[in-house]
Amino acid sequence: ETGVTQTPRHLVMGMTNKKSLKCEQHLGHNAMYWYKQSAKKPLELMFVYNFKEQTENNSVPSRFSPECPNSSHLFLHLHTLQPEDSALYLCASSQDLVVSGSRQYFGPGTRLTVT
Amino acid sequence: DQQVKQNSPSLSVQEGRISILNCDYTNSMFDYFLWYKKYPAEGPTFLISISSIKDKNEDGRFTVFLNKSAKHLSLHIVPSQPGDSAVYFCAASGQDDYKLSFGAGTTVTVRA
């Protein structure tokens, strides 16, 4: 399988649930990203990992907890979410954290609904 | 504060005609600009980019124009085809910065 894959594609969870989103890239990249896309809004960067080390936490609430066990896998652990957290969560990867021109490759996203 | 703006949420164009998508930015430190295309149920895919040292970049039917003084870029698709129907995102990154700032997207519908 090539590219960036994400599972599950759709997730419905209650506010007291704990769930995890998974991302896997098969491109040999070293950097991975989590984005949130709410309806009709720009993609918001949440977290960045480079060589498994977190380099960016864009003021994300602690109910979102990322994990990067290796350069190919990225997880987003979710707990006690709020309805306003319902969104499309996109994972992306890039070769490195190249300044001015980092081309990122995106997965298909997980559509999350919090009830 | 949204630094990249796509003020037209949607665009409808007839097949064979030109599609022009616009993007404005506020951060003068941006020096690299990209367009991504997104189909439903798929992630965004890279389409074309331009560096601030250029004012035009062409790739087949797609051309991106950059006007730095106006902080404006546009994407031209000619001729438009039904397969071009998608959401198009403008993105920008700054000097010494790997992060991308995205616009909210423009939904293009190409009518047969």
Side-chain angles (χ1 to χ4, degrees):
Chain A
E1 194 166 7
T2 59
V4 181
T5 59
Q6 289 185 244
T7 55
R9 296 294 307 275
H10 299 272
L11 178 62
V12 179
M13 59 185 290
M15 290 189 285
T16 57
N17 290 158
K18 288 185 179 181
K19 296 287 185 182
S20 295
L21 309 185
K22 178 183 176 182
C23 175
E24 184 174 359
Q25 59 95 0
H26 308 269
L27 300 168
H29 289 167
N30 298 310
M32 297 188 77
Y33 311 73
W34 278 117
Y35 286 90
K36 174 185 178 182
Q37 188 190 14
S38 303
K40 305 301 182 184
K41 290 187 177 180
L43 278 69
E44 301 173 45
L45 181 64
M46 300 175 71
F47 301 104
V48 181
Y49 279 81
N50 192 37
F51 290 97
K52 303 187 298 179
E53 299 297 320
Q54 187 178 125
T55 59
E56 185 82 21
N57 177 337
N58 204 21
S59 302
V60 180
S62 59
R63 57 186 184 270
F64 295 91
S65 175
E67 178 190 1
C68 189
N70 54 61
S71 292
S72 298
H73 294 86
L74 186 64
F75 295 89
L76 188 62
H77 304 298
L78 317 171
H79 64 97
T80 59
L81 294 191
Q82 304 298 312
E84 59 265 28
D85 296 322
S86 298
L88 180 68
Y89 289 85
L90 289 161
C91 174
S93 70
S94 64
Q95 183 62 53
D96 288 296
L97 294 183
V98 177
V99 298
S100 295
S102 173
R103 185 181 303 183
Q104 297 175 19
Y105 295 78
F106 286 84
T110 295
R111 175 68 63 186
L112 174 67
T113 302
V114 182
T115 61
Chain B
D1 181 32
Q2 196 172 332
Q3 300 185 78
V4 178
K5 297 181 181 180
Q6 294 177 255
N7 292 318
S8 296
S10 63
L11 172 70
S12 180
V13 63
Q14 193 166 8
E15 181 179 4
R17 306 296 287 269
I18 185 171
S19 295
I20 300 177
L21 291 79
N22 294 304
C23 178
D24 296 295
Y25 61 96
T26 57
N27 190 339
S28 58
M29 299 303 290
F30 285 153
D31 68 348
Y32 193 76
F33 305 88
L34 308 90
W35 285 93
Y36 279 82
K37 174 180 180 179
K38 184 181 184 303
Y39 292 118
E42 296 182 14
T45 56
F46 170 78
L47 186 59
I48 192 169
S49 63
I50 188 167
S51 165
S52 61
I53 61 173
K54 294 185 175 182
D55 56 15
K56 176 183 175 181
N57 188 27
E58 188 174 352
D59 184 2
R61 296 184 297 112
F62 303 91
T63 303
V64 57
F65 296 90
L66 176 63
N67 182 334
K68 285 183 293 182
S69 61
K71 295 190 179 68
H72 176 84
L73 64 155
S74 61
L75 174 68
H76 292 207
I77 307 173
V78 56
S80 300
Q81 299 175 354
D84 297 329
S85 296
V87 180
Y88 291 78
F89 293 98
C90 173
S93 67
Q95 297 174 6
D96 302 322
D97 194 354
Y98 58 82
K99 291 177 287 188
L100 293 176
S101 295
F102 284 86
T106 296
T107 301
V108 173
T109 303
V110 180
R111 309 184 310 271

